[in-house]
Amino acid sequence: MSNPVYKMIEITGTSEKSSDEAIQNGIARAAKTVRHMNWFEVIETRGRINADNVVQWQVTLKIGFALDD
C-alpha cells in the first residue's frame, strides 16, 4: 500500500482489574472483527463504584486501522 486510507472507530473496553486491562480487553475484542489496526488513542477513563470500591474500569478508545484495497 503506497497511500493507505485509514478509518477510526470508537469503543469502550472494560475490566474489573485495571484501566490497562480494559484497554487490552477492548483491543482484543475489536481484533476479532477489525483488521489492520495500527494505533489507539485513549479518549476517556472512568469507572463504576459499588460500596466505596472501584468495581469496574471503563476506557474509551479510538482505534485507527487501514482500509482494504
Side-chain angles (χ1 to χ4, degrees):
M1 261 196 251
S2 59
N3 293 302
V5 174
Y6 297 96
K7 180 173 177 67
M8 290 176 38
I9 59 171
E10 189 171 296
I11 66 167
T12 300
T14 63
S15 169
E16 295 176 356
K17 294 183 182 179
S18 69
S19 59
D20 288 344
E21 185 174 88
I23 292 168
Q24 292 291 337
N25 290 344
I27 291 172
R29 176 58 185 89
K32 291 181 178 184
T33 57
V34 179
R35 296 185 307 272
H36 313 302
M37 291 189 295
N38 295 103
W39 72 88
F40 73 92
E41 175 184 353
V42 174
I43 302 301
E44 183 176 29
T45 303
R46 62 186 172 277
R48 196 163 53 97
I49 300 168
N50 187 11
D52 297 332
N53 294 307
V54 175
V55 295
Q56 184 183 61
W57 291 89
Q58 303 167 354
V59 180
T60 300
L61 311 166
K62 284 187 179 179
I63 296 177
F65 58 95
L67 296 177
D68 287 336
D69 284 337

